[in-house]
Amino acid sequence: MSVAGKARKVTTHTLLEMKRQGEPITMLTAYDFSLARIVDQSGIDVILVGDSASNVMAGNDTTVPITLDHMIYHAQCVVRAVERALIVVDMPFGSYQGNSKLALESAIRIMKESGAHAVKLEGGSEIVESIERILTAGIPVMGHLGLTPQSIYKFGTYSVRAIEDEEAKKLIEDCKLLEEAGCFSIVFEKIPAELAKQASESLNIPTIGIGAGAGVDGQVLVLHDLLGITHEFNPRFLRRYMNLYEDISSAVSSYIEDVQSGDFPNEDECY
Ligand code: KIV
């Protein structure tokens, strides 16, 4: 039986073992109880309480506005639903950059108040001190390199990162730094597939890609994108498995019609 199949609960060690055995790791986002329950019971390995909740749940243009309190609230909802998956929570913008004491306090709040299993931080050498300090408290840390949406105002666009040699070289160096610091895994977002493959092969810890090709150790997508709820977002890396925007819209239209025509409720639907 596979490593993931055997695991009653997925841990950071399960993921390391999966990489060793060449078993692909699956990860999806969730921000609420109902969807987290479905995703967990469907057998996903990792649930990311992503700060993409800022866009998907709250309707913001970027991930910058979401707060630590908001992230803890979403993580609490997910933790109540999940029995098997490893739950990783994004540390939001402003809760760890440039201040390792603040980073540790923020990570401790996430772990204590939500009951999640690990945190994720965006960045490399700039934030390695924060990562090291969080790890001193025994909190597992996932890194995130490439397109780091919390830095959108520095990048100016959401386009593919590390195309130029200099940025690709820094990414490889950052990978090593994060592994040496003690991260248990790294997310690669929107980088060339060949670079992601090369970086993954140079690391002992698993890499999880979104728009980073097939040479990584696992894949992550935003659940609402996969389900086709966020139908206006169409990056090349996204595979949609449903078109829930249209299905929900048509269900709601039918309900409106049925109420307006007097068809709902019928006799069987009354007490
Ligand atoms: O917030 C998020 O959903 C993420 C994924 C895109 C990896 O960080």
Side-chain angles (χ1 to χ4, degrees):
M1 194 193 268
S2 63
V3 179
K6 267 191 240 157
R8 199 174 59 84
K9 277 186 185 294
V10 178
T11 67
T12 56
H13 299 281
T14 318
L15 303 189
L16 283 167
E17 194 47 35
M18 287 173 80
K19 170 155 180 148
R20 275 189 215 116
Q21 304 283 337
E23 197 178 316
I25 296 166
T26 59
M27 173 158 132
L28 279 174
T29 60
Y31 322 108
D32 68 275
F33 177 89
S34 305
L35 288 177
R37 171 144 288 192
I38 298 173
V39 170
D40 185 50
Q41 294 190 351
S42 305
I44 204 81
D45 299 316
V46 186
I47 293 185
L48 173 66
V49 184
D51 60 356
S52 50
S54 178
N55 311 78
V56 176
M57 294 279 105
N60 292 310
D61 286 339
T62 73
T63 57
V64 171
I66 200 161
T67 66
L68 187 58
D69 285 339
H70 292 146
M71 290 306 299
I72 290 171
Y73 167 76
H74 287 297
Q76 287 168 338
C77 299
V78 168
V79 167
R80 279 183 215 117
V82 171
E83 286 169 3
R84 178 180 173 277
L86 180 80
I87 304 171
V88 181
V89 181
D90 260 335
M91 294 190 62
F93 178 70
S95 71
Y96 61 92
Q97 291 95 340
N99 183 340
S100 63
K101 183 168 177 288
L102 174 69
L104 177 59
E105 285 165 4
S106 306
I108 288 177
R109 274 201 63 201
I110 290 174
M111 300 298 282
K112 242 182 143 63
E113 295 177 36
S114 76
H117 309 131
V119 295
K120 174 163 84 58
L121 285 73
E122 293 182 5
S125 54
E126 316 77 18
I127 57 144
V128 78
E129 198 183 316
S130 291
I131 290 179
E132 281 168 347
R133 192 134 176 199
I134 293 169
L135 284 160
T136 62
I139 300 172
V141 175
M142 178 180 266
H144 183 151
L145 298 172
L147 176 64
T148 48
Q150 291 178 12
S151 307
I152 182 59
Y153 293 113
K154 181 176 110 188
F155 296 146
T157 97
Y158 287 105
S159 53
V160 183
R161 304 302 315 174
I163 293 176
E164 304 298 333
D165 286 353
E166 202 180 320
E167 201 178 330
K169 186 167 165 271
K170 176 167 171 10
L171 186 132
I172 297 279
E173 286 164 5
D174 281 343
C175 281
K176 275 284 155 213
L177 267 183
L178 296 190
E179 179 169 67
E180 278 161 22
C183 286
F184 71 88
S185 172
I186 304 175
V187 165
F188 290 154
E189 180 163 354
K190 261 191 147 175
I191 61 171
E194 194 43 49
L195 175 66
K197 181 170 185 285
Q198 188 195 327
S200 299
E201 284 169 359
S202 75
L203 294 167
N204 294 313
I205 55 172
T207 57
I208 318 254
I210 174 162
V216 287
D217 303 303
Q219 298 291 333
V220 56
L221 284 177
V222 168
L223 179 64
H224 289 65
D225 297 339
L226 171 157
L227 296 176
I229 297 178
T230 49
H231 75 308
E232 281 159 7
F233 181 62
N234 278 308
R236 171 174 170 164
F237 66 74
L238 173 60
R239 184 177 295 181
R240 286 199 196 288
Y241 290 83
M242 294 186 81
N243 190 344
L244 267 192
Y245 184 93
E246 282 186 4
D247 290 349
I248 293 173
S249 172
S250 121
V252 171
S253 301
S254 301
Y255 168 73
I256 292 169
E257 250 175 63
D258 290 352
V259 172
Q260 287 176 341
S261 69
D263 182 68
F264 177 79
N266 63 25
E267 266 183 32
D268 291 345
E269 289 158 338
C270 295
Y271 297 98

Short mmCIF file of all heavy atoms in Angstrom, two decimals, residues 27 29 31 48-53 63 90 120 122 144 149 187 189 210 220-222, ligand 1:
data_model
loop_
_atom_site.label_atom_id
_atom_site.label_comp_id
_atom_site.label_asym_id
_atom_site.label_seq_id
_atom_site.Cartn_x
_atom_site.Cartn_y
_atom_site.Cartn_z
N MET A 27 -2.53 18.56 -2.70
CA MET A 27 -2.86 19.64 -1.76
C MET A 27 -3.92 20.54 -2.41
O MET A 27 -3.88 20.79 -3.62
CB MET A 27 -1.58 20.43 -1.45
CG MET A 27 -1.74 21.68 -0.63
SD MET A 27 -0.13 22.10 0.16
CE MET A 27 0.04 23.80 -0.22
N THR A 29 -6.72 24.05 -1.35
CA THR A 29 -7.10 25.03 -0.33
C THR A 29 -8.49 24.68 0.22
O THR A 29 -9.29 24.02 -0.45
CB THR A 29 -7.20 26.45 -0.91
OG1 THR A 29 -8.18 26.45 -1.94
CG2 THR A 29 -5.87 26.93 -1.44
N TYR A 31 -11.31 26.89 3.16
CA TYR A 31 -11.40 28.01 4.12
C TYR A 31 -12.59 27.85 5.07
O TYR A 31 -12.80 28.68 5.94
CB TYR A 31 -11.57 29.35 3.39
CG TYR A 31 -10.78 29.49 2.11
CD1 TYR A 31 -11.40 29.46 0.87
CD2 TYR A 31 -9.40 29.67 2.16
CE1 TYR A 31 -10.68 29.59 -0.31
CE2 TYR A 31 -8.67 29.81 0.98
CZ TYR A 31 -9.31 29.77 -0.25
OH TYR A 31 -8.58 29.90 -1.40
N LEU A 48 -4.58 23.45 2.57
CA LEU A 48 -3.97 24.76 2.82
C LEU A 48 -5.08 25.77 3.11
O LEU A 48 -5.95 26.00 2.26
CB LEU A 48 -3.18 25.22 1.59
CG LEU A 48 -2.65 26.66 1.67
CD1 LEU A 48 -1.59 26.79 2.77
CD2 LEU A 48 -2.08 27.11 0.33
N VAL A 49 -5.04 26.33 4.32
CA VAL A 49 -5.92 27.46 4.60
C VAL A 49 -5.15 28.67 4.05
O VAL A 49 -4.32 29.27 4.73
CB VAL A 49 -6.21 27.60 6.11
CG1 VAL A 49 -7.19 28.73 6.36
CG2 VAL A 49 -6.74 26.29 6.67
N GLY A 50 -5.37 28.92 2.77
CA GLY A 50 -4.56 29.91 2.05
C GLY A 50 -5.04 31.32 2.31
O GLY A 50 -6.23 31.55 2.55
N ASP A 51 -4.09 32.27 2.19
CA ASP A 51 -4.52 33.66 2.30
C ASP A 51 -5.23 34.10 1.02
O ASP A 51 -5.71 35.23 0.91
CB ASP A 51 -3.36 34.60 2.68
CG ASP A 51 -2.24 34.59 1.66
OD1 ASP A 51 -2.30 33.81 0.69
OD2 ASP A 51 -1.29 35.39 1.84
N SER A 52 -5.33 33.18 0.03
CA SER A 52 -6.21 33.42 -1.12
C SER A 52 -7.66 33.57 -0.66
O SER A 52 -8.51 34.02 -1.43
CB SER A 52 -6.08 32.29 -2.15
OG SER A 52 -6.20 31.03 -1.53
N ALA A 53 -7.94 33.23 0.59
CA ALA A 53 -9.26 33.53 1.18
C ALA A 53 -9.56 35.02 1.05
O ALA A 53 -10.73 35.42 0.96
CB ALA A 53 -9.29 33.12 2.66
N THR A 63 -4.03 39.53 -1.72
CA THR A 63 -4.00 38.84 -0.42
C THR A 63 -3.52 39.78 0.70
O THR A 63 -3.48 39.37 1.86
CB THR A 63 -3.07 37.62 -0.48
OG1 THR A 63 -1.76 38.04 -0.88
CG2 THR A 63 -3.58 36.56 -1.44
N ASP A 90 -1.64 29.74 5.99
CA ASP A 90 -0.82 30.85 5.52
C ASP A 90 -0.69 31.92 6.60
O ASP A 90 -1.71 32.35 7.17
CB ASP A 90 -1.48 31.51 4.30
CG ASP A 90 -0.86 31.06 3.00
OD1 ASP A 90 0.32 30.65 2.99
OD2 ASP A 90 -1.58 31.10 1.98
N LYS A 120 2.63 28.46 6.71
CA LYS A 120 3.36 28.72 5.46
C LYS A 120 3.70 30.21 5.38
O LYS A 120 2.85 31.05 5.71
CB LYS A 120 2.52 28.29 4.24
CG LYS A 120 3.14 28.66 2.90
CD LYS A 120 2.55 27.90 1.73
CE LYS A 120 1.28 28.45 1.15
NZ LYS A 120 1.37 29.83 0.66
N GLU A 122 5.76 33.29 2.85
CA GLU A 122 6.26 33.60 1.52
C GLU A 122 7.62 34.28 1.60
O GLU A 122 7.78 35.26 2.34
CB GLU A 122 5.29 34.55 0.80
CG GLU A 122 3.95 33.90 0.48
CD GLU A 122 3.01 34.83 -0.28
OE1 GLU A 122 3.43 35.95 -0.65
OE2 GLU A 122 1.86 34.43 -0.49
N HIS A 144 7.46 29.18 0.56
CA HIS A 144 6.70 29.53 -0.66
C HIS A 144 7.58 30.47 -1.49
O HIS A 144 7.86 31.59 -1.05
CB HIS A 144 5.37 30.20 -0.24
CG HIS A 144 4.46 30.54 -1.39
ND1 HIS A 144 3.09 30.58 -1.25
CD2 HIS A 144 4.70 30.87 -2.68
CE1 HIS A 144 2.53 30.91 -2.41
NE2 HIS A 144 3.49 31.10 -3.30
N PRO A 149 2.32 36.14 -3.85
CA PRO A 149 1.30 37.20 -4.07
C PRO A 149 1.29 38.31 -3.02
O PRO A 149 0.82 39.41 -3.30
CB PRO A 149 -0.01 36.40 -4.05
CG PRO A 149 0.38 35.03 -4.47
CD PRO A 149 1.73 34.80 -3.88
N VAL A 187 6.43 25.44 -1.41
CA VAL A 187 5.53 25.65 -2.55
C VAL A 187 6.28 26.47 -3.61
O VAL A 187 6.94 27.46 -3.27
CB VAL A 187 4.25 26.40 -2.11
CG1 VAL A 187 3.49 26.96 -3.31
CG2 VAL A 187 3.34 25.48 -1.29
N GLU A 189 5.36 28.68 -6.88
CA GLU A 189 4.22 29.22 -7.62
C GLU A 189 4.70 29.89 -8.90
O GLU A 189 5.57 30.77 -8.87
CB GLU A 189 3.45 30.22 -6.73
CG GLU A 189 2.24 30.82 -7.45
CD GLU A 189 1.22 31.46 -6.52
OE1 GLU A 189 1.36 31.37 -5.28
OE2 GLU A 189 0.28 32.07 -7.06
N ILE A 210 2.32 25.04 -8.08
CA ILE A 210 1.10 25.60 -8.68
C ILE A 210 1.60 26.42 -9.87
O ILE A 210 2.30 27.43 -9.68
CB ILE A 210 0.25 26.41 -7.67
CG1 ILE A 210 -0.93 27.09 -8.37
CG2 ILE A 210 1.06 27.41 -6.85
CD1 ILE A 210 -2.05 27.54 -7.44
N VAL A 220 -0.71 21.73 -6.02
CA VAL A 220 -1.75 22.43 -5.24
C VAL A 220 -2.56 23.31 -6.19
O VAL A 220 -2.02 23.87 -7.14
CB VAL A 220 -1.15 23.28 -4.09
CG1 VAL A 220 -0.12 24.28 -4.56
CG2 VAL A 220 -2.25 24.01 -3.30
N LEU A 221 -3.87 23.38 -5.93
CA LEU A 221 -4.74 24.34 -6.62
C LEU A 221 -5.66 24.98 -5.59
O LEU A 221 -5.87 24.42 -4.50
CB LEU A 221 -5.60 23.64 -7.69
CG LEU A 221 -4.93 23.25 -9.01
CD1 LEU A 221 -5.92 22.50 -9.91
CD2 LEU A 221 -4.37 24.46 -9.75
N VAL A 222 -6.19 26.13 -5.96
CA VAL A 222 -7.23 26.75 -5.14
C VAL A 222 -8.54 26.02 -5.45
O VAL A 222 -8.93 25.90 -6.61
CB VAL A 222 -7.32 28.26 -5.46
CG1 VAL A 222 -8.57 28.88 -4.84
CG2 VAL A 222 -6.07 28.99 -4.96
O1 KIV B 1 -3.09 31.24 -0.67
C1 KIV B 1 -3.04 30.29 -1.45
O2 KIV B 1 -4.06 29.75 -1.93
C2 KIV B 1 -1.71 29.79 -1.84
C3 KIV B 1 -1.65 28.78 -2.94
C4 KIV B 1 -1.86 29.45 -4.24
C5 KIV B 1 -0.40 28.01 -2.90
O3 KIV B 1 -0.74 30.21 -1.30
#
